Amino acid sequence: MSKVLPLTGNEAGAEAMRQIAPDVVAAYPITPQTELMHRFADYVADGVVPTELILVESEHSAMSACVGASAAGARVMTATSSQGMALMWEILYIAAALRQPIVMPLVNRALSAPINIHCDHSDSMGARDTGWIQLYCENCQEVYDNVVQAVKIAEDKDVLLPVMVCYDGFILSHTVERVEVLEDHEVKEFIGPYVADRPLLDLDHPVTYGPLDLQDYYFEHKRQEAEAMRNCKPVIQRVAGEYELLSGRKYGPFDEYFTQDAEHIMVCLGSAAGTAKAAVDELRDAGEKVGLLKLRVFRPFPAEELIAALSHAKGIAVMDRADGVNSIGGPVFSEIRAAVYGHSSAKISNYIYGLGGRDIDIDMMKSVFQDMKDGKYAEQAYYIGVRE
Amino acid sequence: MPEKGWRELPIGGKILQGGNSVEYETGSWRTYRPVVDKAKCINCMRCWLLCPDSAIYAEGEEMAGYDYMHCKGCGICEEICPVDAIEMVLESEKDKIPADERGVKAIEEAREKAK
Amino acid sequence: MAIKLKELSHRESRVAPGHRACAGCGSIIAIKEVLMAVEQPVVISFATGCLEVATTIFPYSAWRVPYIHCAFENSAAVMSGVEAAYLSLKKQGKLPGESGNKDIKFIAFGGDGGTYDIGFQALSGAMERGHDMLYVCYDNQAYMNTGIQRSGSTPRGAATSTSPAGRVIPGKTQFRKDLTKIMAAHDIPYVAQSTPDRWRDLMTKVQKAMEIKGPKFLNILSSCFRGWRCEPQESLEVTNLAVETRFWPLYEVENGKWKLNYKPKKHVPIEEWMKLQRRFQHILKPQNKHLLEEIQRDIDRRWDELLFLCGEEAGPKPEQS
């Protein structure tokens, strides 16, 4: 039995956290993540959750405390945005490499400078190689669903990697939507109890965490981590299947929207997918063979599945809400192009959009499809929505 | 310890047997070897406490000699001994000193445990 | 309760032999004493540094207690998380094995770099939040692990790799930060400083800290013969002289009450401490006499302040002045 609530993205994240009831949460305030923690702090203050909430003095310490608590044997969560995650950077790698299944809602916000509090993906895209699993959300329902699934993915014995659930700052975090939530007991049974692997607090077996690993062992440990990321794929799929049985909502590595017979396919992630779907609807009504592929899982990168879904297209336009500042294009583009290389004769171009919260509308999305129809492709990214 | 492949190692770089550094010999670092004259020793246990290498044996509240498999020969014990019962002897003259059978055995046991 | 070494000698050192610290390392003696003084089960964290590196070269660990190292600046923050996990799991009855029935102690360690400098914010935050933990700084007055660079704890005049005694600049030009006083200003239940050569003082302080609920801070001056340019066997003597010259007074602040634990019988000039260490050899040259005097004045001033805080009578003054 599920119920429907009017929730913002942050409230949907907080609702999922209430039901997960993590043992420890460590957090530091940053816009636009703040309201998630306000609501969660209410749950702690009211004794609704047994969580120890550590209100640290920086995000660096937030992630450090999460690593300590997770190693100790606790189920652990935090949440952050932008500069906050940038300050965590060093510890993001350590959390993943120490194989701590921490779950973190990441409310996407542009990185300074200039300082800006609105959405783009420069924060999470910069962290794409930290060893964290990354799930992206289109709407508040997906925020809720992905946070719940993230716990089960992270804690799988074949995975044991941290997960960030990325959703667009303000666009989702502060927008009220209709969200179906599960019953508390359903979430509890779905995620199950957390049994840590050789926790620090097991006094009978004193374990050393985080030793110095030199030329003779470091490579082997990194190889293990790479394998864990590979192992994620079937686990994410299995968890999605179980979640569908419970919720009736279907999840995969990505969503396909009229792609199967499409000549021109747009790839995007996050809330812009909703706008892109509206553009596809209008163009389909006009008889154009266009489609949208919305990425949900960016890490592990679903290359094989993407090849199967994209290789028939004549043209692919990849939308990036983060600039690689590398004179070529954004991170999603680089990876999609690398994945389909040798598997498709499709032409691929890249659009950088929405930096610092700049809106993208249906007409802009349609203009991207028009470019493909006109055979307009470029080696370097196009900037869409910026004043020339 | 034979170097294991990535599939065999515990994940996350954890060392599951805390204290297994016993398996690693540091006795070869020594230039000078401490030798105790038990006739002079008053078993104050200061050397036992202050040895940076935990390389002094304690038995029945008495100083019971050295773990030469690990003692690095720093000379702190000689320096702090209140009754001058400890002497640092050049390693090249170590033939005068009995072997540390207990230390050898401890390392063998630790290695066996690791298997 | 008085520390009796014979009784303690029944305990196994929680630092196993086979670690790779330098022969005669003063810091590992300090840590060994700290852990020897703790009767209860203990979980420890370490900041990146000499001892972290020397004790945990994979696949060997010298720690017979649960240990975690995460990064350089976050030993206190990591331990905050461990302690919070303990509280949470304990109240939910989810601690593993027999751990649920035990009163576990938490100790975070860091060197002076990881404590005075890069880890200061994490330390200050953890103490303010009131976690039930002891933070121990093993202060050897420079970044020894990376090759003896100056830190916020390096005393004025000391030559390090990044504050060398040059033709124009005679070693470090700034005075050290008084971290123990800064921690006392956090108004936490217990703050103290000690040295490993004063093992009875050090271990008594640790035992006292273990009996106090809440955040505790212990600053231990521990020598590094490589960085201080002295002899390995002098590791303990050199910190003994730091106490006798009043460079490193032994004191504690318990619930806001300052107490001097040791008052040297006579005024031993600071050069007696410096003479043992070649990092100060340039300071002892005639052309730098003014520097030596300035350093001595600073020590005397800090000592008088401490006496005042501890409600003590002024001590003996230098003979010539």
Coordinates of all heavy atoms in Angstrom, one line a residue, chain A residues 57, chain C residues 75-77 79-80 106-108 115 119-136 179 182-191 214-218:
Chain A
E57 N 31.4 20.7 11.5 CA 31.8 22.1 11.2 C 32.2 22.3 9.8 O 32.6 23.4 9.4 CB 32.9 22.5 12.2 CG 34.3 22.0 11.9 CD 34.5 20.5 11.8 OE1 33.8 19.8 12.5 OE2 35.4 20.1 11.1
Chain C
S75 N 41.3 13.3 11.7 CA 41.3 12.2 12.8 C 40.2 12.4 13.7 O 39.4 11.5 14.1 CB 42.7 12.2 13.5 OG 42.7 11.1 14.4
A76 N 40.0 13.7 14.2 CA 38.9 14.0 15.1 C 37.5 13.8 14.5 O 36.6 13.3 15.2 CB 39.1 15.4 15.6
A77 N 37.4 14.2 13.3 CA 36.1 14.1 12.6 C 35.7 12.6 12.4 O 34.6 12.2 12.6 CB 36.1 14.8 11.3
M79 N 36.8 10.1 14.2 CA 36.4 9.5 15.5 C 35.1 10.0 16.0 O 34.4 9.3 16.7 CB 37.5 9.9 16.5 CG 37.5 9.1 17.8 SD 37.2 7.3 17.5 CE 38.8 6.7 17.3
S80 N 34.7 11.2 15.6 CA 33.3 11.7 15.9 C 32.3 10.7 15.3 O 31.3 10.3 16.0 CB 33.0 13.0 15.2 OG 33.9 14.0 15.6
F106 N 37.3 5.9 23.1 CA 37.6 6.4 21.8 C 38.8 7.4 21.9 O 38.7 8.4 22.6 CB 36.4 7.0 21.1 CG 35.3 6.0 21.0 CD1 34.3 6.0 21.9 CD2 35.3 5.1 20.0 CE1 33.2 5.1 21.8 CE2 34.3 4.2 19.9 CZ 33.2 4.2 20.8
I107 N 39.9 7.1 21.2 CA 41.0 8.0 21.2 C 41.4 8.3 19.8 O 41.7 7.4 19.0 CB 42.2 7.4 22.0 CG1 41.8 6.9 23.4 CG2 43.3 8.4 22.1 CD1 42.9 6.3 24.2
A108 N 41.5 9.6 19.5 CA 41.9 10.1 18.2 C 43.4 10.6 18.3 O 43.6 11.4 19.3 CB 41.0 11.2 17.6
T115 N 47.2 18.3 13.8 CA 46.5 18.8 14.9 C 46.5 20.3 15.0 O 45.5 21.0 15.0 CB 47.0 18.2 16.2 OG1 47.0 16.8 16.1 CG2 46.1 18.6 17.4
G119 N 44.5 19.8 10.7 CA 43.4 19.2 11.4 C 42.8 20.0 12.5 O 41.9 19.5 13.2
F120 N 43.2 21.3 12.6 CA 42.7 22.1 13.7 C 41.2 22.3 13.7 O 40.5 22.2 14.7 CB 43.4 23.4 13.7 CG 43.0 24.3 14.8 CD1 43.2 24.0 16.1 CD2 42.4 25.5 14.5 CE1 42.8 24.8 17.1 CE2 42.0 26.4 15.6 CZ 42.2 26.0 16.9
Q121 N 40.7 22.5 12.5 CA 39.2 22.8 12.4 C 38.4 21.6 12.9 O 37.4 21.7 13.6 CB 38.9 23.2 11.0 CG 37.4 23.4 10.8 CD 37.1 23.7 9.3 OE1 37.7 24.4 8.7 NE2 36.1 23.0 8.8
A122 N 38.8 20.4 12.4 CA 38.1 19.2 12.7 C 38.2 18.9 14.2 O 37.3 18.5 14.8 CB 38.7 18.0 11.9
L123 N 39.4 19.2 14.8 CA 39.6 19.0 16.2 C 38.7 20.0 17.0 O 37.9 19.5 17.9 CB 41.0 19.3 16.6 CG 41.3 19.4 18.1 CD1 41.1 18.1 18.8 CD2 42.8 19.8 18.3
S124 N 38.7 21.2 16.6 CA 37.9 22.2 17.3 C 36.4 21.9 17.3 O 35.7 21.9 18.3 CB 38.2 23.6 16.7 OG 37.4 24.6 17.3
G125 N 36.0 21.5 16.1 CA 34.6 21.1 15.9 C 34.2 19.9 16.8 O 33.1 19.9 17.4
A126 N 35.0 18.9 16.8 CA 34.7 17.6 17.5 C 34.6 17.9 19.0 O 33.8 17.4 19.7 CB 35.8 16.6 17.2
M127 N 35.5 18.8 19.5 CA 35.5 19.1 20.9 C 34.3 19.9 21.3 O 33.7 19.7 22.3 CB 36.8 19.9 21.3 CG 38.1 19.2 21.1 SD 38.4 17.8 22.3 CE 38.3 16.4 21.2
E128 N 33.9 20.9 20.4 CA 32.8 21.7 20.6 C 31.5 20.9 20.7 O 30.6 21.1 21.5 CB 32.7 22.8 19.6 CG 31.5 23.7 19.7 CD 30.2 23.3 19.0 OE1 30.3 22.5 18.0 OE2 29.1 23.6 19.5
R129 N 31.4 19.8 19.8 CA 30.2 19.0 19.8 C 30.1 18.0 21.0 O 29.1 17.4 21.2 CB 30.2 18.2 18.5 CG 30.0 19.0 17.2 CD 29.7 18.1 16.0 NE 30.8 17.2 15.7 CZ 31.9 17.4 15.0 NH1 32.0 18.6 14.4 NH2 32.8 16.6 14.7
G130 N 31.2 17.9 21.7 CA 31.1 17.2 23.0 C 31.2 15.7 22.9 O 30.7 15.0 23.7
H131 N 31.8 15.2 21.8 CA 31.9 13.7 21.7 C 32.7 13.2 22.8 O 33.7 13.8 23.3 CB 32.7 13.4 20.4 CG 31.9 13.7 19.1 ND1 30.9 13.0 18.7 CD2 32.0 14.8 18.3 CE1 30.4 13.5 17.6 NE2 31.0 14.6 17.3
D132 N 32.4 12.0 23.2 CA 33.1 11.3 24.4 C 34.4 10.7 23.8 O 34.4 9.5 23.5 CB 32.2 10.3 25.0 CG 32.8 9.7 26.3 OD1 33.7 10.3 26.8 OD2 32.4 8.6 26.7
M133 N 35.4 11.5 23.7 CA 36.6 11.0 23.1 C 37.8 11.8 23.7 O 37.7 12.9 24.2 CB 36.7 11.1 21.6 CG 36.7 12.6 21.1 SD 37.4 12.7 19.4 CE 35.9 12.7 18.5
L134 N 39.0 11.1 23.6 CA 40.2 11.8 24.0 C 41.0 12.1 22.7 O 41.1 11.1 21.9 CB 41.1 10.9 24.9 CG 42.5 11.3 25.2 CD1 42.6 12.7 25.9 CD2 43.3 10.3 26.0
Y135 N 41.4 13.3 22.5 CA 42.3 13.6 21.4 C 43.7 13.7 21.9 O 43.9 14.5 22.8 CB 41.8 14.9 20.6 CG 42.6 15.0 19.3 CD1 42.0 14.7 18.1 CD2 43.9 15.5 19.3 CE1 42.7 14.8 16.9 CE2 44.6 15.6 18.1 CZ 44.0 15.3 16.9 OH 44.7 15.4 15.7
V136 N 44.6 13.0 21.3 CA 46.0 13.0 21.7 C 46.8 13.6 20.6 O 46.8 13.0 19.5 CB 46.5 11.6 22.1 CG1 48.0 11.7 22.4 CG2 45.7 11.1 23.3
L179 N 48.8 25.5 21.5 CA 47.5 24.7 21.2 C 46.8 24.3 22.5 O 45.6 24.3 22.6 CB 47.8 23.5 20.3 CG 46.6 22.8 19.9 CD1 45.7 23.6 19.0 CD2 46.9 21.5 19.2
I182 N 44.7 26.9 23.7 CA 43.6 27.1 22.8 C 42.5 26.1 23.1 O 41.3 26.3 23.1 CB 44.0 27.0 21.3 CG1 45.0 28.2 21.0 CG2 42.8 27.0 20.4 CD1 45.7 28.0 19.6
M183 N 43.0 24.9 23.4 CA 42.0 23.8 23.7 C 41.4 24.1 25.0 O 40.2 23.8 25.2 CB 42.7 22.4 23.6 CG 43.2 22.0 22.3 SD 42.2 22.5 20.9 CE 40.7 21.5 21.2
A184 N 42.1 24.6 26.0 CA 41.5 25.0 27.3 C 40.4 26.0 27.1 O 39.4 26.0 27.8 CB 42.6 25.5 28.2
A185 N 40.7 26.9 26.1 CA 39.7 27.9 25.8 C 38.4 27.3 25.2 O 37.4 28.0 25.2 CB 40.2 29.0 24.9
H186 N 38.4 26.1 24.8 CA 37.2 25.4 24.4 C 36.3 25.0 25.5 O 35.2 24.6 25.3 CB 37.5 24.1 23.5 CG 37.9 24.4 22.1 ND1 39.0 25.1 21.8 CD2 37.4 24.1 21.0 CE1 39.2 25.2 20.5 NE2 38.1 24.6 20.0
D187 N 36.8 25.2 26.7 CA 36.1 24.9 27.9 C 35.5 23.5 28.0 O 34.4 23.2 28.4 CB 34.9 25.9 28.0 CG 34.7 26.4 29.5 OD1 35.5 25.9 30.3 OD2 33.9 27.3 29.7
I188 N 36.4 22.6 27.6 CA 36.0 21.1 27.7 C 36.4 20.6 29.0 O 37.2 21.2 29.7 CB 36.7 20.3 26.5 CG1 38.2 20.6 26.4 CG2 36.0 20.7 25.2 CD1 38.9 19.8 25.4
P189 N 35.9 19.4 29.4 CA 36.2 19.0 30.8 C 37.7 18.7 31.2 O 38.0 18.9 32.3 CB 35.4 17.6 30.9 CG 34.5 17.6 29.7 CD 35.0 18.5 28.7
Y190 N 38.5 18.4 30.2 CA 39.9 18.1 30.6 C 40.9 18.4 29.4 O 40.7 17.9 28.3 CB 40.0 16.6 30.9 CG 41.3 16.2 31.6 CD1 41.6 16.7 32.9 CD2 42.2 15.4 30.9 CE1 42.8 16.4 33.5 CE2 43.5 15.1 31.5 CZ 43.7 15.6 32.8 OH 44.9 15.3 33.4
V191 N 41.9 19.1 29.8 CA 42.9 19.5 28.9 C 44.2 19.3 29.6 O 44.3 19.7 30.8 CB 42.8 20.9 28.3 CG1 44.0 21.3 27.5 CG2 41.5 21.1 27.5
G214 N 32.9 13.0 28.0 CA 33.0 14.2 27.1 C 34.3 14.3 26.4 O 35.2 13.4 26.5
P215 N 34.6 15.5 25.8 CA 35.8 15.6 25.0 C 37.0 16.0 25.9 O 36.9 16.8 26.8 CB 35.4 16.8 24.1 CG 34.3 17.5 24.8 CD 33.6 16.6 25.6
K216 N 38.1 15.4 25.6 CA 39.3 15.6 26.3 C 40.5 15.8 25.4 O 40.4 15.3 24.3 CB 39.7 14.4 27.2 CG 38.9 14.1 28.4 CD 37.6 13.4 28.3 CE 37.7 12.0 27.7 NZ 36.4 11.3 27.6
F217 N 41.5 16.6 25.8 CA 42.6 16.9 24.9 C 43.9 16.7 25.7 O 44.1 17.3 26.7 CB 42.5 18.3 24.3 CG 43.7 18.6 23.4 CD1 43.8 18.2 22.1 CD2 44.7 19.4 23.9 CE1 44.9 18.5 21.3 CE2 45.8 19.7 23.1 CZ 45.9 19.3 21.8
L218 N 44.8 15.9 25.1 CA 46.1 15.8 25.7 C 47.2 16.1 24.7 O 47.2 15.5 23.6 CB 46.3 14.3 26.2 CG 47.6 13.9 26.8 CD1 48.0 14.7 28.0 CD2 47.6 12.4 27.2

